[in-house]
Amino acid sequence: FRGHVRDIGWMDYVGNGGMIGTTGRAKSLEAINLNLTNMPPGAKIKYQVHVQNIGWMDWVENGNIAGTTGRALQIEAIRIAVEGRPAGYHIEYQAHVQDIGWMNWVGDGAEAGTTGLFKGLEALNIRIVRDPILGIESEGHFQGLGWMMPSYDGYAIKYFNNNRKLEGI
């Protein structure tokens, strides 16, 4: 993804987890364009921006430009969603807003930034994340032997010698 910044123009593309825009320079994002890589065929990224004096613009997708250039109109908020993403994957994004700083991470189409406060979006972090895989780790304490190596995800806690009693889990 990349951003068009007031008085700078288009910045270089950055990858997953990167930041577009600037912080500490009082320069708002005016336009963005986002692309997906390494996703299954048919997946598409959709995004919508709220622009100063315009309001919410139409949703665009897959590399199209959202916002304006050459008009000095700041983006104030954004929504981003990925359609056709693999199960367990989500998009998350975090806005850096004029006079506020970094706001909380949001994702999957939620609004980042502000509307009605006339505060520009100065920077944006975007990342595709995978849900954590939950698992269970267990250990057995056997009579006369102590704690044994862990077992994972429902596999039995066993010791195959000398009929030792399981004393703890």
Side-chain angles (χ1 to χ4, degrees):
F1 50 98
R2 69 181 179 150
H4 185 279
V5 177
R6 177 169 292 151
D7 300 326
I8 295 174
W10 284 107
M11 299 185 82
D12 292 335
Y13 281 97
V14 297
N16 192 41
M19 182 190 87
I20 56 175
T22 63
T23 60
R25 297 178 62 185
K27 297 193 179 294
S28 296
L29 284 165
E30 296 177 342
I32 61 164
N33 89 337
L34 312 176
N35 287 294
L36 280 179
T37 59
N38 301 322
M39 287 297 243
K44 61 183 172 182
I45 189 164
K46 297 176 67 167
Y47 39 105
Q48 179 186 39
V49 295
H50 184 278
V51 175
Q52 167 189 1
N53 299 333
I54 295 174
W56 286 105
M57 299 183 79
D58 291 336
W59 286 87
V60 297
E61 59 188 47
N62 293 342
N64 289 304
I65 294 173
T68 64
T69 59
R71 296 177 58 189
L73 298 175
Q74 63 194 12
I75 294 175
E76 297 174 336
I78 187 167
R79 297 175 182 141
I80 307 171
V82 177
E83 291 182 357
R85 68 181 186 259
Y89 285 84
H90 302 277
I91 189 156
E92 296 179 342
Y93 39 101
Q94 179 187 37
H96 185 279
V97 177
Q98 171 189 351
D99 299 327
I100 295 174
W102 287 109
M103 299 183 79
N104 291 332
W105 286 89
V106 298
D108 296 328
E111 183 178 315
T114 63
T115 57
L117 299 178
F118 307 104
K119 296 192 178 293
L121 212 73
E122 296 178 333
L124 189 64
N125 286 322
I126 304 173
R127 62 187 181 197
I128 302 277
V129 296
R130 185 171 185 206
D131 289 340
I133 298 172
L134 300 177
I136 296 174
E137 175 182 299
S138 53
E139 296 178 29
H141 188 281
F142 287 87
Q143 177 186 21
L145 295 173
W147 291 102
M148 303 302 288
M149 294 295 291
S151 176
Y152 298 95
D153 296 328
Y155 286 94
I157 299 171
K158 298 179 188 174
Y159 182 71
F160 292 103
N161 262 338
N162 301 328
N163 290 328
R164 306 282 179 148
K165 289 182 182 176
L166 180 61
E167 298 177 326
I169 298 176

Short mmCIF file of all heavy atoms in Angstrom, two decimals, residues 70-110:
data_model
loop_
_atom_site.label_atom_id
_atom_site.label_comp_id
_atom_site.label_asym_id
_atom_site.label_seq_id
_atom_site.Cartn_x
_atom_site.Cartn_y
_atom_site.Cartn_z
N GLY A 70 -4.10 16.87 -5.37
CA GLY A 70 -4.09 18.20 -5.95
C GLY A 70 -5.18 19.13 -5.46
O GLY A 70 -5.36 20.21 -6.01
N ARG A 71 -5.92 18.74 -4.45
CA ARG A 71 -7.02 19.57 -3.94
C ARG A 71 -6.82 19.99 -2.49
O ARG A 71 -7.65 20.69 -1.94
CB ARG A 71 -8.35 18.83 -4.10
CG ARG A 71 -8.69 18.58 -5.57
CD ARG A 71 -9.96 17.80 -5.76
NE ARG A 71 -11.11 18.45 -5.15
CZ ARG A 71 -12.31 17.88 -5.05
NH1 ARG A 71 -12.51 16.66 -5.50
NH2 ARG A 71 -13.31 18.52 -4.48
N ALA A 72 -5.75 19.52 -1.84
CA ALA A 72 -5.44 19.84 -0.44
C ALA A 72 -6.59 19.48 0.50
O ALA A 72 -6.91 20.21 1.43
CB ALA A 72 -5.05 21.30 -0.29
N LEU A 73 -7.22 18.33 0.25
CA LEU A 73 -8.30 17.84 1.10
C LEU A 73 -7.82 16.60 1.85
O LEU A 73 -7.41 15.61 1.25
CB LEU A 73 -9.55 17.49 0.28
CG LEU A 73 -10.19 18.66 -0.48
CD1 LEU A 73 -11.33 18.16 -1.36
CD2 LEU A 73 -10.67 19.72 0.49
N GLN A 74 -7.87 16.65 3.16
CA GLN A 74 -7.33 15.57 3.97
C GLN A 74 -8.31 14.41 4.14
O GLN A 74 -9.52 14.61 4.21
CB GLN A 74 -6.93 16.10 5.34
CG GLN A 74 -8.11 16.64 6.16
CD GLN A 74 -7.67 17.45 7.36
OE1 GLN A 74 -6.51 17.80 7.49
NE2 GLN A 74 -8.61 17.76 8.24
N ILE A 75 -7.76 13.21 4.21
CA ILE A 75 -8.54 12.04 4.64
C ILE A 75 -8.70 12.16 6.14
O ILE A 75 -7.74 12.42 6.86
CB ILE A 75 -7.83 10.73 4.26
CG1 ILE A 75 -7.77 10.56 2.73
CG2 ILE A 75 -8.53 9.53 4.91
CD1 ILE A 75 -6.98 9.35 2.27
N GLU A 76 -9.92 11.94 6.63
CA GLU A 76 -10.19 12.04 8.06
C GLU A 76 -10.50 10.68 8.70
O GLU A 76 -10.33 10.52 9.91
CB GLU A 76 -11.34 13.01 8.31
CG GLU A 76 -10.99 14.43 7.86
CD GLU A 76 -12.14 15.42 7.94
OE1 GLU A 76 -13.32 15.00 7.91
OE2 GLU A 76 -11.85 16.62 8.04
N ALA A 77 -10.95 9.72 7.90
CA ALA A 77 -11.24 8.38 8.41
C ALA A 77 -11.19 7.39 7.26
O ALA A 77 -11.26 7.78 6.09
CB ALA A 77 -12.62 8.35 9.09
N ILE A 78 -11.09 6.11 7.62
CA ILE A 78 -11.00 5.06 6.60
C ILE A 78 -11.65 3.78 7.11
O ILE A 78 -11.69 3.53 8.32
CB ILE A 78 -9.52 4.80 6.23
CG1 ILE A 78 -9.42 3.84 5.05
CG2 ILE A 78 -8.72 4.31 7.44
CD1 ILE A 78 -8.04 3.77 4.44
N ARG A 79 -12.16 3.00 6.17
CA ARG A 79 -12.66 1.64 6.43
C ARG A 79 -11.99 0.73 5.41
O ARG A 79 -11.90 1.08 4.23
CB ARG A 79 -14.17 1.57 6.24
CG ARG A 79 -14.97 2.42 7.19
CD ARG A 79 -16.45 2.35 6.83
NE ARG A 79 -17.23 3.20 7.72
CZ ARG A 79 -18.27 3.92 7.32
NH1 ARG A 79 -18.67 3.92 6.06
NH2 ARG A 79 -18.93 4.66 8.19
N ILE A 80 -11.53 -0.44 5.86
CA ILE A 80 -10.86 -1.38 4.97
C ILE A 80 -11.41 -2.78 5.24
O ILE A 80 -11.57 -3.18 6.39
CB ILE A 80 -9.33 -1.40 5.20
CG1 ILE A 80 -8.74 0.00 5.11
CG2 ILE A 80 -8.65 -2.34 4.20
CD1 ILE A 80 -7.28 0.10 5.53
N ALA A 81 -11.67 -3.54 4.18
CA ALA A 81 -12.15 -4.91 4.31
C ALA A 81 -11.50 -5.77 3.23
O ALA A 81 -11.14 -5.26 2.17
CB ALA A 81 -13.67 -4.96 4.19
N VAL A 82 -11.37 -7.05 3.51
CA VAL A 82 -10.87 -8.00 2.51
C VAL A 82 -11.94 -9.04 2.27
O VAL A 82 -12.35 -9.74 3.20
CB VAL A 82 -9.55 -8.67 2.97
CG1 VAL A 82 -9.11 -9.69 1.94
CG2 VAL A 82 -8.47 -7.63 3.20
N GLU A 83 -12.41 -9.12 1.03
CA GLU A 83 -13.40 -10.13 0.66
C GLU A 83 -12.67 -11.34 0.08
O GLU A 83 -11.68 -11.19 -0.63
CB GLU A 83 -14.36 -9.57 -0.39
CG GLU A 83 -15.28 -8.51 0.15
CD GLU A 83 -16.27 -8.00 -0.89
OE1 GLU A 83 -16.20 -8.43 -2.06
OE2 GLU A 83 -17.08 -7.15 -0.53
N GLY A 84 -13.18 -12.52 0.37
CA GLY A 84 -12.59 -13.74 -0.16
C GLY A 84 -11.29 -14.13 0.51
O GLY A 84 -10.51 -14.89 -0.03
N ARG A 85 -11.07 -13.63 1.70
CA ARG A 85 -9.84 -13.97 2.43
C ARG A 85 -9.95 -15.39 2.98
O ARG A 85 -11.05 -15.87 3.26
CB ARG A 85 -9.58 -12.97 3.55
CG ARG A 85 -10.60 -13.05 4.67
CD ARG A 85 -10.32 -12.01 5.76
NE ARG A 85 -11.22 -12.19 6.86
CZ ARG A 85 -12.30 -11.48 7.09
NH1 ARG A 85 -12.61 -10.50 6.27
NH2 ARG A 85 -13.07 -11.73 8.12
N PRO A 86 -8.82 -16.05 3.17
CA PRO A 86 -8.87 -17.40 3.76
C PRO A 86 -9.42 -17.35 5.18
O PRO A 86 -9.26 -16.35 5.88
CB PRO A 86 -7.40 -17.83 3.78
CG PRO A 86 -6.69 -16.92 2.84
CD PRO A 86 -7.47 -15.65 2.80
N ALA A 87 -10.05 -18.42 5.59
CA ALA A 87 -10.59 -18.50 6.96
C ALA A 87 -9.47 -18.26 7.96
O ALA A 87 -8.36 -18.75 7.79
CB ALA A 87 -11.23 -19.86 7.19
N GLY A 88 -9.78 -17.49 8.98
CA GLY A 88 -8.81 -17.23 10.03
C GLY A 88 -7.91 -16.03 9.79
O GLY A 88 -7.10 -15.69 10.63
N TYR A 89 -8.03 -15.38 8.63
CA TYR A 89 -7.23 -14.19 8.35
C TYR A 89 -8.09 -12.94 8.45
O TYR A 89 -9.27 -12.96 8.10
CB TYR A 89 -6.62 -14.26 6.94
CG TYR A 89 -5.46 -15.22 6.85
CD1 TYR A 89 -5.68 -16.57 6.65
CD2 TYR A 89 -4.16 -14.76 6.98
CE1 TYR A 89 -4.62 -17.45 6.58
CE2 TYR A 89 -3.09 -15.64 6.91
CZ TYR A 89 -3.33 -16.98 6.71
OH TYR A 89 -2.27 -17.85 6.65
N HIS A 90 -7.49 -11.84 8.92
CA HIS A 90 -8.21 -10.58 9.10
C HIS A 90 -7.29 -9.43 8.72
O HIS A 90 -6.08 -9.55 8.75
CB HIS A 90 -8.64 -10.40 10.56
CG HIS A 90 -9.50 -11.52 11.05
ND1 HIS A 90 -10.85 -11.57 10.82
CD2 HIS A 90 -9.19 -12.65 11.72
CE1 HIS A 90 -11.33 -12.68 11.34
NE2 HIS A 90 -10.34 -13.35 11.89
N ILE A 91 -7.91 -8.30 8.40
CA ILE A 91 -7.13 -7.09 8.17
C ILE A 91 -7.31 -6.19 9.38
O ILE A 91 -8.42 -6.06 9.91
CB ILE A 91 -7.51 -6.38 6.86
CG1 ILE A 91 -6.51 -5.26 6.58
CG2 ILE A 91 -8.94 -5.87 6.88
CD1 ILE A 91 -6.42 -4.87 5.13
N GLU A 92 -6.21 -5.62 9.84
CA GLU A 92 -6.23 -4.68 10.96
C GLU A 92 -5.52 -3.41 10.52
O GLU A 92 -4.58 -3.46 9.73
CB GLU A 92 -5.50 -5.26 12.18
CG GLU A 92 -6.15 -6.48 12.76
CD GLU A 92 -5.39 -7.04 13.94
OE1 GLU A 92 -4.19 -6.71 14.14
OE2 GLU A 92 -6.00 -7.83 14.68
N TYR A 93 -5.97 -2.28 11.06
CA TYR A 93 -5.36 -1.00 10.70
C TYR A 93 -5.47 -0.04 11.87
O TYR A 93 -6.35 -0.15 12.72
CB TYR A 93 -5.97 -0.43 9.42
CG TYR A 93 -7.47 -0.62 9.28
CD1 TYR A 93 -8.35 0.42 9.56
CD2 TYR A 93 -8.00 -1.84 8.89
CE1 TYR A 93 -9.72 0.24 9.45
CE2 TYR A 93 -9.36 -2.03 8.78
CZ TYR A 93 -10.22 -0.99 9.06
OH TYR A 93 -11.57 -1.16 8.95
N GLN A 94 -4.53 0.89 11.89
CA GLN A 94 -4.41 1.84 13.00
C GLN A 94 -4.14 3.21 12.42
O GLN A 94 -3.24 3.37 11.59
CB GLN A 94 -3.26 1.39 13.91
CG GLN A 94 -3.01 2.30 15.08
CD GLN A 94 -1.75 1.89 15.84
OE1 GLN A 94 -0.76 1.48 15.25
NE2 GLN A 94 -1.79 2.03 17.14
N ALA A 95 -4.90 4.20 12.84
CA ALA A 95 -4.78 5.57 12.32
C ALA A 95 -4.01 6.46 13.29
O ALA A 95 -4.20 6.39 14.50
CB ALA A 95 -6.17 6.15 12.09
N HIS A 96 -3.15 7.29 12.72
CA HIS A 96 -2.50 8.37 13.46
C HIS A 96 -3.22 9.65 13.04
O HIS A 96 -3.21 10.02 11.87
CB HIS A 96 -1.02 8.45 13.12
CG HIS A 96 -0.27 9.44 13.94
ND1 HIS A 96 -0.27 10.79 13.67
CD2 HIS A 96 0.49 9.29 15.04
CE1 HIS A 96 0.48 11.42 14.55
NE2 HIS A 96 0.95 10.53 15.40
N VAL A 97 -3.88 10.30 13.99
CA VAL A 97 -4.74 11.44 13.69
C VAL A 97 -4.14 12.73 14.24
O VAL A 97 -3.60 12.75 15.35
CB VAL A 97 -6.17 11.20 14.27
CG1 VAL A 97 -7.07 12.40 14.03
CG2 VAL A 97 -6.77 9.95 13.66
N GLN A 98 -4.28 13.78 13.46
CA GLN A 98 -3.82 15.13 13.84
C GLN A 98 -4.28 15.47 15.25
O GLN A 98 -5.45 15.31 15.59
CB GLN A 98 -4.40 16.11 12.82
CG GLN A 98 -4.24 17.56 13.14
CD GLN A 98 -5.05 18.42 12.16
OE1 GLN A 98 -5.58 17.96 11.17
NE2 GLN A 98 -5.13 19.70 12.48
N ASP A 99 -3.37 15.95 16.10
CA ASP A 99 -3.62 16.38 17.47
C ASP A 99 -4.09 15.26 18.41
O ASP A 99 -4.39 15.53 19.57
CB ASP A 99 -4.66 17.52 17.54
CG ASP A 99 -4.21 18.76 16.79
OD1 ASP A 99 -2.99 19.03 16.76
OD2 ASP A 99 -5.07 19.45 16.22
N ILE A 100 -4.19 14.03 17.94
CA ILE A 100 -4.62 12.90 18.78
C ILE A 100 -3.49 11.88 18.90
O ILE A 100 -3.22 11.37 19.96
CB ILE A 100 -5.90 12.24 18.22
CG1 ILE A 100 -7.07 13.22 18.30
CG2 ILE A 100 -6.22 10.94 18.96
CD1 ILE A 100 -8.35 12.74 17.65
N GLY A 101 -2.84 11.58 17.79
CA GLY A 101 -1.80 10.55 17.77
C GLY A 101 -2.37 9.22 17.34
O GLY A 101 -3.41 9.14 16.68
N TRP A 102 -1.66 8.15 17.73
CA TRP A 102 -2.09 6.81 17.34
C TRP A 102 -3.35 6.41 18.09
O TRP A 102 -3.42 6.50 19.30
CB TRP A 102 -0.98 5.79 17.62
CG TRP A 102 0.16 5.90 16.66
CD1 TRP A 102 1.41 6.36 16.93
CD2 TRP A 102 0.15 5.57 15.27
NE1 TRP A 102 2.18 6.34 15.79
CE2 TRP A 102 1.43 5.86 14.75
CE3 TRP A 102 -0.81 5.06 14.40
CZ2 TRP A 102 1.78 5.65 13.42
CZ3 TRP A 102 -0.47 4.86 13.07
CH2 TRP A 102 0.80 5.14 12.60
N MET A 103 -4.33 5.95 17.32
CA MET A 103 -5.57 5.45 17.89
C MET A 103 -5.48 3.92 18.00
O MET A 103 -4.52 3.31 17.53
CB MET A 103 -6.75 5.89 17.02
CG MET A 103 -6.85 7.42 16.94
SD MET A 103 -8.26 7.98 16.00
CE MET A 103 -9.55 7.78 17.21
N ASN A 104 -6.47 3.29 18.59
CA ASN A 104 -6.49 1.83 18.74
C ASN A 104 -6.61 1.14 17.39
O ASN A 104 -7.19 1.68 16.45
CB ASN A 104 -7.66 1.40 19.62
CG ASN A 104 -7.48 1.81 21.07
OD1 ASN A 104 -6.36 1.94 21.54
ND2 ASN A 104 -8.58 2.02 21.75
N TRP A 105 -6.08 -0.07 17.31
CA TRP A 105 -6.24 -0.91 16.12
C TRP A 105 -7.71 -1.27 15.95
O TRP A 105 -8.41 -1.53 16.93
CB TRP A 105 -5.43 -2.19 16.26
CG TRP A 105 -3.95 -2.00 16.12
CD1 TRP A 105 -3.07 -1.71 17.12
CD2 TRP A 105 -3.19 -2.07 14.92
NE1 TRP A 105 -1.80 -1.61 16.61
CE2 TRP A 105 -1.84 -1.83 15.25
CE3 TRP A 105 -3.51 -2.32 13.58
CZ2 TRP A 105 -0.82 -1.83 14.31
CZ3 TRP A 105 -2.50 -2.33 12.65
CH2 TRP A 105 -1.17 -2.08 13.00
N VAL A 106 -8.17 -1.28 14.71
CA VAL A 106 -9.50 -1.76 14.36
C VAL A 106 -9.33 -2.69 13.16
O VAL A 106 -8.25 -2.80 12.61
CB VAL A 106 -10.48 -0.60 14.03
CG1 VAL A 106 -10.67 0.31 15.23
CG2 VAL A 106 -10.01 0.20 12.83
N GLY A 107 -10.41 -3.32 12.72
CA GLY A 107 -10.26 -4.21 11.58
C GLY A 107 -11.56 -4.57 10.91
O GLY A 107 -12.65 -4.26 11.38
N ASP A 108 -11.39 -5.24 9.77
CA ASP A 108 -12.48 -5.84 9.01
C ASP A 108 -13.65 -4.89 8.77
O ASP A 108 -14.80 -5.18 9.08
CB ASP A 108 -12.96 -7.12 9.69
CG ASP A 108 -11.87 -8.19 9.71
OD1 ASP A 108 -11.06 -8.24 8.77
OD2 ASP A 108 -11.84 -8.98 10.67
N GLY A 109 -13.38 -3.71 8.24
CA GLY A 109 -14.42 -2.77 7.84
C GLY A 109 -14.79 -1.72 8.87
O GLY A 109 -15.59 -0.83 8.60
N ALA A 110 -14.21 -1.78 10.07
CA ALA A 110 -14.50 -0.78 11.10
C ALA A 110 -13.86 0.56 10.73
O ALA A 110 -12.93 0.63 9.94
CB ALA A 110 -13.99 -1.26 12.46
#
